[in-house]
Amino acid sequence: MYSVIKSIEPVCEESEQKQQEHLNSLTKPVGSLGALEDLAVQLAGISAQVNPEINTPGIIVFASDHGISLEGVSAYPQEVTAQMVRNFLTGGAAINVFSKRINALLEIVDIGIASELTGPQLIRRKIAYGTKNFLLEDAMSEDQAIQSIWIGMERAKNLIDKGAGLLILGEMGIGNTSPSSAIIAFLTGCEVETVVGLGTGIEEIQRLHKIQVIKNAIIYRQPLKGDPINVLAKIGGFEIGAIAGSMLYAASRKIPILLDGFISTAGAVLAAELNPLAAQYMIAGHQSAEPGHRLALEYLNKRPLLHLGMRLGEGSGAALSYPLVAAAADMARNMATFEQAGVSRKS
Ligand SMILES: Cc1cc2ncn([C@H]3O[C@H](COP(=O)(O)O)[C@@H](O)[C@H]3O)c2cc1C
Ligand SMILES: O=C(O)c1cccnc1
């Protein structure tokens, strides 16, 4: 695990520069494609190639349960995690629909669902039957935290080896906006009040309770600054560790990572804590309605492509933004230059 984390290289500045020069030679006013041009330049830096091709996207949905859900922090009961995973397996969830739309490779992983689930399509990597309630005890042991990151790496390797040229990390886990809020507040230094939102749709009074639960949990657990494994173990979740692991692995293979919403970005913040270079490989797909998402993206210095007011997770917002990423790569590869098309340059 640590060898993967250490092996991440900075993105290639020379490819970025050459890509920018190439974009400036294409038949459009210089800079007129705005953020799409920045995206094309970033893709060149990530792949260390000019005009890289983005082929098949890969989506991994990590599903897990959370002991903290006993504290009344979600609008839905814990059994919805397993029920939704069944829905993923039969193709009825939002991520199934959006994944099909972009012809993605889609994989569903049980990394810690509280009940027993089987199915030929389900990848079983259960670490435990849910995390512990981190208001009362550490969410998991440090060994389990490392295991979650390791599983994320293993699944990312599997999908990249199968041909995924870009990774989207999604999740399902009732209660998981709580560990995500705790991790983001703790690692970014933002106030818990500004990070915590309505999740699946709790009332304002319940949000105030959720804030108090998370504040107390951080005080009781005393996560260690500068020790991301300790932070994950004390106030995290199995799927958040796996998301971080997949992201770190993708970065080590120079594969772009398309961030989804609040939980996916909590994994991203954790990954960046393990190696800040990983952030260079991340693209923000959208900005979720969860207020802490904007703060986490700012911390990672990422500008989201879409603002659709979504607050679903599963990888859904990232999947919807994928066509823009693919279009940026296509634009760089396939547009004609002024010379090729016989178009006059700026006078
Ligand atoms: C039917 C249903 C489908 C979902 N798909 C994603 N989530 C999202 O909501 C959950 C997090 O919100 P909280 O922390 O408030 O529980 C996660 O499972 C997340 O993936 C869903 C939630 C529900 C209810
Ligand atoms: O932004 C997200 O990913 C999100 C927000 C609320 C609930 N579930 C997921």
Side-chain angles (χ1 to χ4, degrees), residues 169-171 180 243 247 258-269:
L169 291 316
E171 43 52 57
S180 301
I243 287 169
M247 289 178 174
L258 195 43
L259 303 182
D260 183 42
F262 188 59
I263 301 112
S264 166
T265 305
V269 169

Side-chain angles (χ1 to χ4, degrees), residues 61-65 81 85 108-113 171-173 239:
V61 179
F62 292 102
S64 191
D65 276 307
T81 303
V85 168
I108 314 297
V109 182
D110 171 3
I111 190 154
I113 303 171
E171 43 52 57
M172 180 68 222
E239 77 278 52

Side-chain angles (χ1 to χ4, degrees), residues 171 176-177 199-200 260-263 286 288 290 310-313:
E171 43 52 57
N176 69 8
T177 59
T200 38
D260 183 42
F262 188 59
I263 301 112
H286 80 125
S288 154
E290 200 70 7
M310 289 172 62
R311 49 177 178 84
L312 177 63

Side-chain angles (χ1 to χ4, degrees), residues 15-16 18-23 25-26 40-41 43-45 47-54 328-335 337 340:
S15 301
E16 287 180 340
K18 284 190 178 150
Q19 187 68 72
Q20 188 63 64
E21 284 163 18
H22 179 69
L23 296 182
S25 76
L26 301 177
V41 168
L43 291 171
S47 60
Q49 251 181 290
V50 180
N51 297 344
E53 199 174 356
I54 299 287
D330 288 351
M331 172 274 286
R333 281 176 71 79
N334 300 330
M335 271 184 74
T337 63
Q340 285 167 337

